[in-house]
Amino acid sequence: MIISTTWLAEYVRWEAPVEELVRRLLMSGLNHEATWPVGADTAIDIEVTSNRPDCLGHVGVAREVAVLFDRPLHIPAPRPLEANVPAAAAIAVEIVDPDVCPRYTARVIRGVRVGPSPAWLAERLRTIGIEPVNNVVDVTNYVMMECGQPLHAFDLAKVRGGRIIVRRAREGETFRAINHKDYSLTSGMAVIADAEGPVALAGVMGGAESEIAADTVEVLLESAQFAPLVVRAAARGLVLMSASSYRFERGPDPAAVEWASRRAAALIQELAGGEVLAGGVEAGAIAGGRATIDLRAARVEEVLGVPVAVGRQAEILTGLGFVKEAACSERCRWQAPSWRRDVTREIDLVEEIARIEGYDSIPEDRPIHAKPVEQSARERTIRVAGEVLVAAGLCEAMTRSVVSEAFEATASPWTTLPPRRVAPALVRGADRLRRSLLPSLLEASGHNRAVGAPHGDLFEVARAYLDRGGNAAGGSPLEEPLLVSLVVGGPYAKAKGLAEGVIGRLGGVVEFRRRAFDLFTPGRAAEIVLERAGAEPVRVGVVGEVSDRVLSRFGLEGPVSAAELRLDLLEISGSQPRKLVPPSEFPAVQRDLNFVVDQGLLWADVERAIRSAPGADTLLEEITLEQVWEDAQRLGAGKKSLVVGLRFRSQTGTISSDESKRLVEAIVASCGHSCKAILRG
Amino acid sequence: MGTVSLESFRADVERLRAEAVAALVVAGDDAELEQARIEFAGAKSGRLKGIQKLLGGLDGADRPEAGRLFNEAKGAITAALDAAQARLAGASAEAAAIDVTLPGLPFRHGHVHPITQTIRRVQEIMARLGFESVDGPEVEDQWHNFEALAIGAEHPARDPLDNFYLAVAQGTDPLLLRSQTSTVQIRVMEQRKPPLRIVSLGRVYRPDTADATHYPMFHQVEGLLVEPGATMADLKGVLRFLASSFLGGDVHVRFRPSFFPFTEPSVEFDMEWGGRWVEMGGAGMVDPAVLAAVGYDPAEVSGFAFGLGVERIAARRYGVADIRDFYRNDVRFLQQF
């Protein structure tokens, strides 16, 4: 809303520099955007919040100024000189759909001479950015910018059949607006029609056919109330925002319908001559009553934390147009003015008092008592996972939650159901809620390669969005698992090591099982399965080497490996920190064993066999795989050699050579039994 | 009576000590050093040994003092000998010296995203006041995103063009990507009784065309306190604590009236940053209708809430001119934080 200070001064004299005016308005709720000179006038652009349509006109802003500077407010009382002929003799008005238009009034001015507006009017309109058109149209704009009530002037001679019909538009009905563009309407919009068809799009814009022209002699002046949703549907649906639609969407003062009509009729008469027919032709009834609100004086301090004297409370409310119903002090009943339909409750009155009194009166050093707080398990989980990956040299990325169809063409490790769609698209072409972070991270990694960044090793912690299918059971129809995903340059073992690092820090015990996934090279991918006490094992992750096809798609060069983990399922349980297991005071014994096994045997099976040997649970400290080699001549076809490093250590004493010998024998036996492993030389 | 007086012993010891240290300090190579060592500290006929023999000739009463003098001198000579040896060893190691300015062995450390760092900073500050971090779903229903927040069916904020609505089957309730994290506050209030101090944080979504200051996906941090007798003065105090802790120093906070459906009174809050007022976010007292919607009694408790746009404060904090840079994931950008 742009304000002309010259215009504003017609209603109130604040007697302070513009900077002070702007500051006081800013601190009472009308945010300042900019100030600039226009000739001798000054334009001030203020931001009006959607709850304050009263400030979408100069009078409303003047009322704020009057209260802030404690000055009287002068509002003109328009009295057009009316002829004897009643307006009803010239026009009939009918509201067919009262839900779209509760109230419609029409006045008629005959014998006008359309011409340019006088300088004072043209200049004020120019200051606020409205180009003058002619004296009749300018008056309707002027009065709208004065009181916030939009008006429309028709050339009465072009209104066919002498009738105004307010109704919903018909589906597909067409209309040519003042901008000379044609619009196809829907039943969510409303029109002003004459006997033959639409002459205005209700609350948004007049029609080209009936616009005021140089030869217009009879003016039909519309002042009405339109339903906000209907006006919004038209303005948005047709992308036809106007100063009028902007105000109707927010709901102007209902009492201004009548005032604006009289004000505009009087001004047209003054500037364009003619005679105003007696009275208005009215249909419907004003919607929106005045609220009656009880205010406890003590409530103000209860909310603000500082007192405001009872007398000052009353002064502020009275200045804003609220009317006290009877003498009172501690508890008063107030009637809200018609233009403040946003004020309906005691708390609303408290806010009015607070904003005028000024929030600077509230101290900023009131102490607040401390309260213990605990970091949630989820929070700790996210931090621990991030710490591991940052320590490993990865950078945290943030990618979009909504992705393109191409990204979501990749199967998700987490669901077989398709991705959900949103409208509008987040960015062009991205309208799928992602079910995995991996395609986004691979793209980001590819971007780093393309721009020659030092590396493209990235991780991200974010949610995926999975359709629950029919299994919502009263909860959300979507599941949102929290994932940590990572992409690193290097073979399968690189991503696996990082996944193991994260899972290990979170205290999870998992198994890796070979399994094919869309993004990964066949045979070089695994699902990660979590063992759970008293429950079925569950998939908590995938890891693999990114396939050549995917690498080339994202401009990456292999080997690149990636993993995605379900942090929601790996969440650190309980709030107790880990308890120390004291490092043993006794020396370790190192033994290397060289097993020959079948080529297809999994390391996990060897490891399990070693750990299950009698005595291993207390004495085996660590297993390492030192070397794997194959040599058909020396080992035989289909065989491989595994050099396994074993470290034995006891918590209770030095391991004797007998003890370590027995343990080695037990391990060899266990591996021989479960894995057909043969000890080599 | 002894044959040696304490005074003459003291003089001998002092002289020996001075001569020995002087000789050791100037020893230029291993041969000179060895010569000095034999002369002064030689096990058989070193001069130290000679002096030691004199101890026997002292009067019994003087012996402890004489012993102390002797030990002191012996310690000083030994130390000078060690120092000389170390000095000569170092000189001979010169040939094995390295260029100490050569690069160290590189290791790569990772970086936490600046948005995450900013969120954590706010979380940590709020935790000092007992605000617990909470999280909730990003896909929301109309109740949590609008109705419970007193955003009625006619409110423009619900317009399909202003939200990311999910495609849903006919007859099922509309769902959308949350447009604010206040949804989480509603969910927490529905489940818990006051008193309550929480910070909700996470991604939110609003259809804005991406430019230097807008992105359709961004992060919010919102605080909520519900307790008997909470006032706007408490709100201002908490925000000043946050501002001073976040920005450092004694930072002032200013309220300007504003409008949000779920708070009344509603304000914008500014902080003094770099000598001027900077708009930080919105705040206000929780609207009684919101308290009632979650089953709290507005006569018993009151509350305040505030929200911050993380990208905006992170951009200002780190001097990022274009917030889209936060989502480009360029390692050259990420590794600066």
Side-chain angles (χ1 to χ4, degrees):
Chain A
M1 170 77 193
I2 301 173
I3 293 293
S4 147
T5 51
T6 309
W7 188 349
L8 190 66
E10 187 166 305
Y11 315 111
V12 63
R13 299 273 174 185
W14 57 90
E15 285 164 10
V18 170
E19 296 71 34
E20 179 61 8
L21 173 69
V22 159
R23 193 191 68 82
R24 298 284 283 272
L25 289 174
L26 167 81
M27 294 306 287
S28 63
L30 294 171
N31 229 337
H32 179 235
E33 301 277 358
T35 302
W36 65 93
V38 183
D41 201 356
T42 302
I44 304 171
D45 191 2
I46 53 171
E47 184 191 330
V48 180
T49 50
S50 63
N51 60 325
R52 294 297 304 276
D54 61 304
C55 286
L56 293 174
H58 281 69
V59 167
V61 176
R63 188 177 293 112
E64 298 278 308
V65 175
V67 176
L68 292 170
F69 288 85
D70 193 21
R71 306 292 299 173
L73 177 70
H74 305 284
I75 300 174
R79 287 195 186 79
L81 289 171
E82 294 188 338
N84 287 330
V85 184
I91 191 76
V93 174
E94 183 194 356
I95 298 175
V96 175
D97 296 308
D99 59 323
V100 303
C101 173
R103 175 75 168 171
Y104 194 98
T105 71
R107 271 175 201 274
V108 176
I109 305 112
R110 289 206 293 218
V112 299
R113 286 181 308 279
V114 174
S117 291
W120 68 266
L121 173 52
E123 280 163 12
R124 286 182 184 183
L125 289 179
R126 282 206 182 93
T127 296
I128 64 168
I130 296 176
E131 201 49 40
V133 179
N134 60 50
N135 47 12
V136 174
V137 171
D138 292 350
V139 164
T140 59
N141 283 330
Y142 183 81
V143 173
M144 169 169 71
M145 290 304 178
E146 183 174 44
C147 68
Q149 167 68 37
L151 300 169
H152 185 63
F154 298 94
D155 183 338
L156 182 56
K158 307 275 176 59
V159 176
R160 296 155 296 190
R163 294 173 62 199
I164 286 290
I165 300 151
V166 190
R167 57 165 171 81
R168 281 187 180 275
R170 300 191 177 103
E171 215 52 50
E173 195 168 23
T174 57
F175 165 72
R176 175 167 293 184
I178 284 179
N179 62 12
H180 291 265
K181 286 184 184 162
D182 292 321
Y183 294 95
S184 176
L185 311 182
T186 71
S187 59
M189 310 167 184
V191 294
I192 315 302
D194 62 11
E196 294 179 26
V199 289
L201 185 57
V204 179
M205 200 168 273
E209 302 294 329
S210 56
E211 72 178 311
I212 302 294
D215 60 354
T216 299
V217 180
E218 293 184 332
V219 173
L220 170 63
L221 184 66
E222 165 196 295
S223 183
Q225 250 190 328
F226 296 112
L229 276 179
V230 173
V231 174
R232 194 194 309 158
R236 291 248 178 177
L238 304 176
V239 196
L240 193 59
M241 281 58 161
S242 65
S244 168
S245 68
Y246 188 80
R247 282 163 180 76
F248 278 123
E249 284 185 45
R250 285 159 180 77
D253 176 7
V257 172
E258 173 59 19
W259 186 89
S261 179
R262 275 188 289 118
R263 173 74 165 156
L267 277 174
I268 289 172
Q269 190 173 42
E270 184 187 323
L271 304 182
E275 60 172 7
V276 178
L277 300 196
V281 182
E282 299 165 353
I286 287 285
R290 298 181 179 199
T292 301
I293 311 157
D294 288 335
L295 174 67
R296 294 161 291 168
R299 188 67 190 146
V300 176
E301 182 171 0
E302 284 173 21
V303 174
L304 303 184
V306 286
V308 177
V310 179
R312 177 65 180 145
Q313 294 184 16
E315 189 179 288
I316 291 169
L317 292 177
T318 305
L320 291 170
F322 292 83
V323 179
K324 196 172 4 179
E325 285 204 339
C328 58
S329 65
E330 289 311 310
R331 191 187 185 99
C332 290
R333 176 158 293 188
W334 292 88
Q335 192 182 50
S338 60
W339 57 85
R340 289 304 302 275
R341 280 181 300 161
D342 59 312
V343 180
T344 59
R345 305 165 303 163
E346 184 181 47
I347 191 71
D348 303 328
L349 289 180
V350 173
E351 178 169 44
E352 289 306 302
I353 292 164
R355 71 180 183 85
I356 298 296
E357 184 67 3
Y359 288 111
D360 283 349
S361 65
I362 296 175
E364 56 173 14
D365 52 5
R366 192 71 58 86
I368 175 169
H369 65 270
K371 205 182 145 193
V373 64
E374 191 174 280
Q375 199 175 35
S376 71
R378 166 155 292 202
E379 190 54 33
R380 279 184 293 136
T381 302
I382 292 172
R383 291 210 185 201
V384 166
E387 278 164 15
V388 170
L389 297 173
V390 165
L394 279 68
C395 284
E396 186 188 9
M398 280 192 185
T399 59
R400 290 190 290 269
S401 315
V402 188
V403 299
S404 67
E405 184 182 8
F407 276 23
E408 276 300 318
T410 303
S412 164
W414 312 113
T415 179
T416 52
L417 292 171
R420 297 292 293 253
R421 297 177 71 160
V422 294
L426 191 80
V427 297
R428 189 201 292 267
D431 68 347
R432 291 336 195 245
L433 289 180
R434 63 179 171 181
R435 300 165 303 162
S436 165
L437 318 185
L438 286 171
S440 310
L441 272 189
L442 286 164
E443 182 192 45
S445 194
H447 168 77
N448 275 289
R449 182 158 189 277
V451 299
H455 66 90
D457 294 354
L458 300 170
F459 76 97
E460 178 170 19
V461 178
R463 291 152 178 272
Y465 313 88
L466 314 178
D467 199 332
R468 286 190 203 271
N471 307 321
S476 168
L478 275 88
E479 186 190 1
E480 296 183 19
L482 183 71
L483 305 177
V484 59
S485 298
L486 60 95
V487 171
V488 285
Y492 170 86
K494 186 89 181 271
K496 180 173 187 266
L498 292 169
E500 286 170 331
V502 170
I503 295 166
R505 282 296 292 165
L506 296 175
V509 178
V510 296
E511 264 185 33
F512 290 74
R513 298 179 186 162
R514 185 148 73 204
R515 201 171 178 113
F517 290 103
D518 245 11
L519 296 167
F520 301 131
T521 305
R524 297 197 173 190
E527 66 170 333
I528 307 171
V529 177
L530 178 74
E531 311 284 348
R532 296 185 296 184
E536 284 293 294
V538 61
R539 181 189 294 172
V540 295
V542 293
V543 55
E545 210 166 292
V546 180
S547 70
D548 290 345
R549 186 178 52 81
V550 173
L551 289 177
S552 67
R553 176 175 157 199
F554 290 111
L556 289 163
E557 196 164 281
V560 170
S561 55
E564 183 158 273
L565 305 175
R566 289 274 302 251
L567 285 182
D568 54 330
L569 298 176
L570 289 164
E571 199 164 273
I572 297 170
S573 57
S575 60
Q576 293 306 312
R578 290 181 178 200
K579 289 285 180 250
L580 173 73
V581 179
S584 171
E585 299 167 16
F586 303 100
V589 175
Q590 184 72 34
R591 290 283 181 275
D592 287 353
L593 301 180
N594 188 349
F595 287 117
V596 176
V597 296
D598 284 347
Q599 222 164 28
L601 185 72
L602 297 179
W603 166 250
D605 294 332
V606 177
E607 195 178 345
R608 196 177 300 113
I610 294 170
R611 290 198 187 281
S612 63
D617 53 339
T618 54
L619 297 180
L620 179 60
E621 188 175 76
E622 192 178 57
I623 308 173
T624 49
L625 177 60
E626 304 288 344
Q627 201 184 15
V628 184
W629 56 280
E630 290 169 21
D631 185 329
Q633 292 206 320
R634 291 164 66 194
L635 301 174
K639 295 286 180 187
K640 65 184 172 187
S641 156
L642 302 175
V643 180
V644 181
L646 302 169
R647 191 162 71 232
F648 305 147
R649 201 198 295 264
S650 164
Q651 283 283 348
T652 54
T654 304
I655 294 181
S656 67
S657 57
D658 265 5
E659 269 177 309
S660 71
K661 194 167 163 241
R662 271 201 305 278
L663 189 50
V664 167
E665 282 166 4
I667 287 169
V668 170
S670 175
C671 291
H673 180 257
S674 336
C675 305
K676 299 194 186 71
I678 295 158
L679 195 63
R680 188 168 178 273
Chain B
M1 277 300 278
T3 56
V4 181
S5 76
L6 183 60
E7 276 60 45
S8 73
F9 182 79
R10 189 197 306 274
D12 289 349
V13 167
E14 294 296 325
R15 189 172 56 251
L16 172 63
R17 174 179 172 166
E19 286 176 19
V21 170
L24 288 166
V25 164
V26 299
D29 56 31
D30 286 349
E32 282 178 33
L33 178 64
E34 184 58 9
Q35 196 185 341
R37 189 191 67 77
I38 291 165
E39 180 186 348
F40 296 104
K44 284 191 179 139
S45 54
R47 287 170 59 187
L48 203 53
K49 200 78 188 168
I51 290 269
Q52 191 178 12
K53 286 177 184 154
L54 295 178
L55 280 169
L58 278 155
D59 195 59
D62 290 334
R63 275 189 203 156
E65 174 61 9
R68 193 187 62 74
L69 289 169
F70 174 78
N71 284 332
E72 220 177 75
K74 185 180 176 186
I77 293 165
T78 312
L81 187 62
D82 289 348
Q85 273 167 347
R87 177 168 53 78
L88 291 173
S92 67
E94 198 102 327
I98 55 160
D99 176 356
V100 297
T101 68
L102 282 175
L105 277 181
F107 82 100
R108 194 171 86 206
H109 57 97
H111 297 264
V112 175
H113 197 285
I115 293 291
T116 305
Q117 291 190 35
T118 306
I119 290 173
R120 288 189 181 164
R121 181 95 185 96
V122 176
Q123 276 183 296
E124 282 157 11
I125 294 165
M126 296 310 296
R128 288 184 221 153
L129 296 176
F131 284 76
E132 177 194 342
S133 295
V134 291
D135 191 11
E138 291 177 19
V139 174
E140 269 295 0
D141 52 37
Q142 308 241 79
W143 168 257
H144 291 96
N145 201 72
F146 297 127
E147 279 145 37
L149 292 163
I151 303 172
E154 297 210 350
H155 198 280
R158 293 177 70 157
D159 195 286
L161 293 174
D162 286 337
N163 294 283
F164 293 109
Y165 280 96
L166 271 69
V168 292
Q170 280 278 313
T172 49
D173 293 333
L175 295 169
L176 72 162
L177 285 171
R178 67 184 178 194
S179 56
Q180 63 238 334
T181 55
S182 312
T183 53
V184 183
Q185 304 185 340
I186 297 295
R187 287 183 177 275
V188 173
M189 286 195 282
E190 284 172 342
Q191 283 156 15
R192 300 195 208 165
K193 291 287 147 212
L196 199 66
R197 292 184 191 182
I198 54 170
V199 185
S200 56
L201 45 105
R203 295 181 178 203
V204 297
Y205 305 84
R206 291 179 197 171
D208 268 320
T209 304
D211 61 27
T213 55
H214 296 86
Y215 205 72
M217 176 182 93
F218 58 101
H219 291 76
Q220 268 190 341
V221 176
E222 291 191 290
L224 170 74
L225 175 148
V226 182
E227 283 171 14
T231 70
M232 283 194 95
D234 298 325
L235 169 62
K236 213 173 191 182
V238 165
L239 289 174
R240 187 178 181 216
F241 180 89
L242 172 61
S244 299
S245 306
F246 186 83
L247 301 175
D250 188 12
V251 177
H252 295 281
V253 164
R254 162 177 105 165
F255 285 171
R256 285 176 292 112
S258 189
F259 171 64
F260 306 110
F262 37 90
T263 50
E264 189 86 7
S266 299
V267 295
E268 301 273 352
F269 65 97
D270 304 336
M271 296 177 182
E272 239 182 345
W273 196 344
R276 49 184 281 251
W277 291 107
V278 175
E279 200 177 314
M280 297 296 288
M285 300 304 291
V286 180
D287 195 296
V290 173
L291 294 175
V294 296
Y296 289 5
D297 181 355
E300 294 287 316
V301 290
S302 53
F304 62 72
F306 63 88
L308 294 165
V310 178
E311 275 74 1
R312 198 166 55 182
I313 56 173
R316 201 174 163 82
R317 188 174 192 217
Y318 298 114
V320 175
D322 187 335
I323 67 164
R324 287 172 292 190
D325 287 343
F326 287 124
Y327 298 105
R328 290 203 171 99
N329 299 307
D330 189 321
V331 164
R332 294 169 301 169
F333 172 90
L334 297 172
Q335 69 184 5
Q336 293 186 42
F337 304 101

